[in-house]
PDB file of all heavy atoms in Angstrom:
ATOM      1  N   ASP A  45     100.714 190.424  69.841  1.00 90.00           N
ATOM      2  CA  ASP A  45     101.681 189.575  69.142  1.00 90.00           C
ATOM      3  C   ASP A  45     101.210 188.125  69.126  1.00 90.00           C
ATOM      4  O   ASP A  45     101.372 187.416  68.121  1.00 90.00           O
ATOM      5  CB  ASP A  45     103.054 189.661  69.812  1.00 90.00           C
ATOM      6  CG  ASP A  45     103.693 191.042  69.659  1.00 90.00           C
ATOM      7  OD1 ASP A  45     103.130 191.877  68.915  1.00 90.00           O
ATOM      8  OD2 ASP A  45     104.735 191.273  70.294  1.00 90.00           O
ATOM      9  N   ILE A  48      98.582 187.549  66.420  1.00 91.00           N
ATOM     10  CA  ILE A  48      99.181 187.579  65.087  1.00 91.00           C
ATOM     11  C   ILE A  48      99.949 186.295  64.798  1.00 91.00           C
ATOM     12  O   ILE A  48      99.803 185.695  63.731  1.00 91.00           O
ATOM     13  CB  ILE A  48     100.108 188.813  64.958  1.00 91.00           C
ATOM     14  CG1 ILE A  48      99.288 190.096  65.022  1.00 91.00           C
ATOM     15  CG2 ILE A  48     100.924 188.749  63.666  1.00 91.00           C
ATOM     16  CD1 ILE A  48     100.108 191.356  65.107  1.00 91.00           C
ATOM     17  N   LEU A  49     100.750 185.840  65.766  1.00 92.00           N
ATOM     18  CA  LEU A  49     101.516 184.620  65.564  1.00 92.00           C
ATOM     19  C   LEU A  49     100.595 183.403  65.419  1.00 92.00           C
ATOM     20  O   LEU A  49     100.848 182.512  64.591  1.00 92.00           O
ATOM     21  CB  LEU A  49     102.497 184.436  66.726  1.00 92.00           C
ATOM     22  CG  LEU A  49     103.607 185.472  66.816  1.00 92.00           C
ATOM     23  CD1 LEU A  49     104.445 185.264  68.077  1.00 92.00           C
ATOM     24  CD2 LEU A  49     104.506 185.428  65.587  1.00 92.00           C
ATOM     25  N   PHE A  52      98.954 183.356  61.776  1.00 90.00           N
ATOM     26  CA  PHE A  52      99.795 182.917  60.647  1.00 90.00           C
ATOM     27  C   PHE A  52     100.320 181.513  60.855  1.00 90.00           C
ATOM     28  O   PHE A  52     100.636 180.826  59.879  1.00 90.00           O
ATOM     29  CB  PHE A  52     100.921 183.928  60.419  1.00 90.00           C
ATOM     30  CG  PHE A  52     100.420 185.199  59.809  1.00 90.00           C
ATOM     31  CD1 PHE A  52     100.117 186.291  60.599  1.00 90.00           C
ATOM     32  CD2 PHE A  52     100.199 185.278  58.449  1.00 90.00           C
ATOM     33  CE1 PHE A  52      99.628 187.473  60.033  1.00 90.00           C
ATOM     34  CE2 PHE A  52      99.705 186.435  57.874  1.00 90.00           C
ATOM     35  CZ  PHE A  52      99.417 187.538  58.664  1.00 90.00           C
ATOM     36  N   ARG A  53     100.373 181.054  62.101  1.00 90.00           N
ATOM     37  CA  ARG A  53     100.701 179.645  62.348  1.00 90.00           C
ATOM     38  C   ARG A  53      99.586 178.765  61.798  1.00 90.00           C
ATOM     39  O   ARG A  53      99.844 177.765  61.113  1.00 90.00           O
ATOM     40  CB  ARG A  53     100.894 179.417  63.835  1.00 90.00           C
ATOM     41  CG  ARG A  53     101.444 178.023  64.180  1.00 90.00           C
ATOM     42  CD  ARG A  53     101.592 177.828  65.690  1.00 90.00           C
ATOM     43  NE  ARG A  53     102.506 178.818  66.255  1.00 90.00           N
ATOM     44  CZ  ARG A  53     102.136 179.782  67.109  1.00 90.00           C
ATOM     45  NH1 ARG A  53     100.864 179.903  67.461  1.00 90.00           N
ATOM     46  NH2 ARG A  53     103.011 180.632  67.565  1.00 90.00           N
ATOM     47  N   SER A  57     102.056 179.325  57.576  1.00 88.00           N
ATOM     48  CA  SER A  57     103.297 180.023  57.243  1.00 88.00           C
ATOM     49  C   SER A  57     104.495 179.197  57.690  1.00 88.00           C
ATOM     50  O   SER A  57     104.556 178.745  58.838  1.00 88.00           O
ATOM     51  CB  SER A  57     103.320 181.398  57.925  1.00 88.00           C
ATOM     52  OG  SER A  57     104.565 182.034  57.746  1.00 88.00           O
ATOM     53  N   ILE A  58     105.444 178.975  56.790  1.00 89.00           N
ATOM     54  CA  ILE A  58     106.599 178.142  57.105  1.00 89.00           C
ATOM     55  C   ILE A  58     107.434 178.785  58.215  1.00 89.00           C
ATOM     56  O   ILE A  58     107.847 179.952  58.095  1.00 89.00           O
ATOM     57  CB  ILE A  58     107.452 177.887  55.849  1.00 89.00           C
ATOM     58  CG1 ILE A  58     106.683 176.981  54.895  1.00 89.00           C
ATOM     59  CG2 ILE A  58     108.801 177.271  56.201  1.00 89.00           C
ATOM     60  CD1 ILE A  58     107.431 176.541  53.682  1.00 89.00           C
ATOM     61  N   PHE A  59     107.661 178.031  59.294  1.00 90.00           N
ATOM     62  CA  PHE A  59     108.346 178.508  60.481  1.00 90.00           C
ATOM     63  C   PHE A  59     107.696 179.785  61.025  1.00 90.00           C
ATOM     64  O   PHE A  59     108.326 180.554  61.729  1.00 90.00           O
ATOM     65  CB  PHE A  59     109.835 178.745  60.223  1.00 90.00           C
ATOM     66  CG  PHE A  59     110.565 177.525  59.755  1.00 90.00           C
ATOM     67  CD1 PHE A  59     111.090 177.457  58.468  1.00 90.00           C
ATOM     68  CD2 PHE A  59     110.702 176.427  60.582  1.00 90.00           C
ATOM     69  CE1 PHE A  59     111.755 176.323  58.037  1.00 90.00           C
ATOM     70  CE2 PHE A  59     111.360 175.282  60.164  1.00 90.00           C
ATOM     71  CZ  PHE A  59     111.893 175.217  58.881  1.00 90.00           C
ATOM     72  N   ASN A  60     106.435 179.974  60.665  1.00 91.00           N
ATOM     73  CA  ASN A  60     105.656 181.163  61.060  1.00 91.00           C
ATOM     74  C   ASN A  60     106.404 182.454  60.690  1.00 91.00           C
ATOM     75  O   ASN A  60     106.333 183.463  61.401  1.00 91.00           O
ATOM     76  CB  ASN A  60     105.355 181.151  62.554  1.00 91.00           C
ATOM     77  CG  ASN A  60     104.072 181.922  62.889  1.00 91.00           C
ATOM     78  OD1 ASN A  60     103.410 182.471  61.993  1.00 91.00           O
ATOM     79  ND2 ASN A  60     103.726 181.981  64.155  1.00 91.00           N
ATOM     80  N   SER A  61     107.103 182.416  59.565  1.00 92.00           N
ATOM     81  CA  SER A  61     107.918 183.566  59.151  1.00 92.00           C
ATOM     82  C   SER A  61     107.053 184.813  58.922  1.00 92.00           C
ATOM     83  O   SER A  61     107.445 185.918  59.281  1.00 92.00           O
ATOM     84  CB  SER A  61     108.699 183.234  57.871  1.00 92.00           C
ATOM     85  OG  SER A  61     107.818 182.763  56.853  1.00 92.00           O
ATOM     86  N   ALA A  62     105.856 184.623  58.327  1.00 92.00           N
ATOM     87  CA  ALA A  62     104.975 185.762  58.078  1.00 92.00           C
ATOM     88  C   ALA A  62     104.518 186.396  59.385  1.00 92.00           C
ATOM     89  O   ALA A  62     104.433 187.623  59.525  1.00 92.00           O
ATOM     90  CB  ALA A  62     103.775 185.361  57.249  1.00 92.00           C
ATOM     91  N   GLY A  63     104.217 185.544  60.391  1.00 92.00           N
ATOM     92  CA  GLY A  63     103.790 186.059  61.681  1.00 92.00           C
ATOM     93  C   GLY A  63     104.857 186.896  62.343  1.00 92.00           C
ATOM     94  O   GLY A  63     104.598 188.014  62.812  1.00 92.00           O
ATOM     95  N   TYR A  64     106.082 186.375  62.388  1.00 95.00           N
ATOM     96  CA  TYR A  64     107.181 187.120  63.022  1.00 95.00           C
ATOM     97  C   TYR A  64     107.531 188.367  62.220  1.00 95.00           C
ATOM     98  O   TYR A  64     107.904 189.400  62.801  1.00 95.00           O
ATOM     99  CB  TYR A  64     108.406 186.216  63.159  1.00 95.00           C
ATOM    100  CG  TYR A  64     108.259 185.204  64.268  1.00 95.00           C
ATOM    101  CD1 TYR A  64     108.040 183.844  63.960  1.00 95.00           C
ATOM    102  CD2 TYR A  64     108.301 185.574  65.605  1.00 95.00           C
ATOM    103  CE1 TYR A  64     107.889 182.909  64.969  1.00 95.00           C
ATOM    104  CE2 TYR A  64     108.145 184.643  66.632  1.00 95.00           C
ATOM    105  CZ  TYR A  64     107.930 183.306  66.295  1.00 95.00           C
ATOM    106  OH  TYR A  64     107.769 182.386  67.293  1.00 95.00           O
ATOM    107  N   LEU A  65     107.391 188.308  60.899  1.00 94.00           N
ATOM    108  CA  LEU A  65     107.629 189.489  60.065  1.00 94.00           C
ATOM    109  C   LEU A  65     106.654 190.587  60.435  1.00 94.00           C
ATOM    110  O   LEU A  65     107.050 191.748  60.608  1.00 94.00           O
ATOM    111  CB  LEU A  65     107.498 189.123  58.584  1.00 94.00           C
ATOM    112  CG  LEU A  65     107.555 190.291  57.584  1.00 94.00           C
ATOM    113  CD1 LEU A  65     108.933 190.943  57.619  1.00 94.00           C
ATOM    114  CD2 LEU A  65     107.235 189.794  56.172  1.00 94.00           C
ATOM    115  N   HIS A  66     105.364 190.245  60.565  1.00 94.00           N
ATOM    116  CA  HIS A  66     104.357 191.268  60.900  1.00 94.00           C
ATOM    117  C   HIS A  66     104.577 191.824  62.308  1.00 94.00           C
ATOM    118  O   HIS A  66     104.392 193.022  62.537  1.00 94.00           O
ATOM    119  CB  HIS A  66     102.953 190.685  60.751  1.00 94.00           C
ATOM    120  CG  HIS A  66     102.495 190.567  59.350  1.00 94.00           C
ATOM    121  ND1 HIS A  66     102.373 191.653  58.505  1.00 94.00           N
ATOM    122  CD2 HIS A  66     102.108 189.476  58.607  1.00 94.00           C
ATOM    123  CE1 HIS A  66     101.948 191.261  57.322  1.00 94.00           C
ATOM    124  NE2 HIS A  66     101.780 189.949  57.359  1.00 94.00           N
ATOM    125  N   VAL A  67     104.945 190.964  63.243  1.00 94.00           N
ATOM    126  CA  VAL A  67     105.213 191.451  64.596  1.00 94.00           C
ATOM    127  C   VAL A  67     106.354 192.478  64.563  1.00 94.00           C
ATOM    128  O   VAL A  67     106.280 193.531  65.215  1.00 94.00           O
ATOM    129  CB  VAL A  67     105.564 190.275  65.528  1.00 94.00           C
ATOM    130  CG1 VAL A  67     106.144 190.777  66.861  1.00 94.00           C
ATOM    131  CG2 VAL A  67     104.331 189.424  65.791  1.00 94.00           C
ATOM    132  N   PHE A  68     107.399 192.179  63.809  1.00 95.00           N
ATOM    133  CA  PHE A  68     108.538 193.099  63.693  1.00 95.00           C
ATOM    134  C   PHE A  68     108.126 194.408  63.022  1.00 95.00           C
ATOM    135  O   PHE A  68     108.491 195.498  63.502  1.00 95.00           O
ATOM    136  CB  PHE A  68     109.657 192.433  62.928  1.00 95.00           C
ATOM    137  CG  PHE A  68     110.849 193.340  62.670  1.00 95.00           C
ATOM    138  CD1 PHE A  68     111.670 193.736  63.719  1.00 95.00           C
ATOM    139  CD2 PHE A  68     111.105 193.794  61.402  1.00 95.00           C
ATOM    140  CE1 PHE A  68     112.747 194.576  63.481  1.00 95.00           C
ATOM    141  CE2 PHE A  68     112.174 194.641  61.154  1.00 95.00           C
ATOM    142  CZ  PHE A  68     113.007 195.026  62.214  1.00 95.00           C
ATOM    143  N   MET A  69     107.371 194.316  61.926  1.00 94.00           N
ATOM    144  CA  MET A  69     106.977 195.521  61.197  1.00 94.00           C
ATOM    145  C   MET A  69     106.050 196.383  62.050  1.00 94.00           C
ATOM    146  O   MET A  69     106.160 197.612  62.054  1.00 94.00           O
ATOM    147  CB  MET A  69     106.281 195.142  59.887  1.00 94.00           C
ATOM    148  CG  MET A  69     107.127 194.362  58.918  1.00 94.00           C
ATOM    149  SD  MET A  69     108.530 195.302  58.256  1.00 94.00           S
ATOM    150  CE  MET A  69     107.691 196.408  57.139  1.00 94.00           C
ATOM    151  N   LEU A  70     105.149 195.769  62.769  1.00 93.00           N
ATOM    152  CA  LEU A  70     104.250 196.541  63.620  1.00 93.00           C
ATOM    153  C   LEU A  70     104.994 197.175  64.773  1.00 93.00           C
ATOM    154  O   LEU A  70     104.624 198.249  65.279  1.00 93.00           O
ATOM    155  CB  LEU A  70     103.128 195.638  64.159  1.00 93.00           C
ATOM    156  CG  LEU A  70     102.087 195.247  63.123  1.00 93.00           C
ATOM    157  CD1 LEU A  70     101.203 194.103  63.633  1.00 93.00           C
ATOM    158  CD2 LEU A  70     101.202 196.447  62.755  1.00 93.00           C
ATOM    159  N   TRP A  71     106.042 196.517  65.237  1.00 94.00           N
ATOM    160  CA  TRP A  71     106.909 197.125  66.280  1.00 94.00           C
ATOM    161  C   TRP A  71     107.523 198.425  65.752  1.00 94.00           C
ATOM    162  O   TRP A  71     107.616 199.404  66.482  1.00 94.00           O
ATOM    163  CB  TRP A  71     107.997 196.133  66.688  1.00 94.00           C
ATOM    164  CG  TRP A  71     109.026 196.727  67.604  1.00 94.00           C
ATOM    165  CD1 TRP A  71     108.888 196.988  68.940  1.00 94.00           C
ATOM    166  CD2 TRP A  71     110.341 197.147  67.234  1.00 94.00           C
ATOM    167  NE1 TRP A  71     110.057 197.552  69.430  1.00 94.00           N
ATOM    168  CE2 TRP A  71     110.958 197.667  68.399  1.00 94.00           C
ATOM    169  CE3 TRP A  71     111.068 197.145  66.025  1.00 94.00           C
ATOM    170  CZ2 TRP A  71     112.260 198.176  68.390  1.00 94.00           C
ATOM    171  CZ3 TRP A  71     112.353 197.652  66.039  1.00 94.00           C
ATOM    172  CH2 TRP A  71     112.936 198.161  67.197  1.00 94.00           C
ATOM    173  N   TYR A  77     105.447 199.501  56.688  1.00 95.00           N
ATOM    174  CA  TYR A  77     104.901 198.698  55.600  1.00 95.00           C
ATOM    175  C   TYR A  77     104.877 199.508  54.298  1.00 95.00           C
ATOM    176  O   TYR A  77     105.273 199.013  53.243  1.00 95.00           O
ATOM    177  CB  TYR A  77     103.478 198.260  55.924  1.00 95.00           C
ATOM    178  CG  TYR A  77     103.344 197.181  56.964  1.00 95.00           C
ATOM    179  CD1 TYR A  77     103.018 197.493  58.286  1.00 95.00           C
ATOM    180  CD2 TYR A  77     103.497 195.850  56.612  1.00 95.00           C
ATOM    181  CE1 TYR A  77     102.853 196.489  59.236  1.00 95.00           C
ATOM    182  CE2 TYR A  77     103.351 194.838  57.550  1.00 95.00           C
ATOM    183  CZ  TYR A  77     103.014 195.179  58.859  1.00 95.00           C
ATOM    184  OH  TYR A  77     102.877 194.173  59.783  1.00 95.00           O
TER     185      TYR A  77
END
Side-chain angles (χ1 to χ4, degrees):
D45 293 352
I48 293 171
L49 293 175
F52 287 96
R53 189 180 300 113
S57 173
I58 291 186
F59 301 114
N60 207 0
S61 54
Y64 286 107
L65 173 65
H66 283 300
V67 168
F68 175 71
M69 298 294 286
L70 287 166
W71 172 77
Y77 286 100

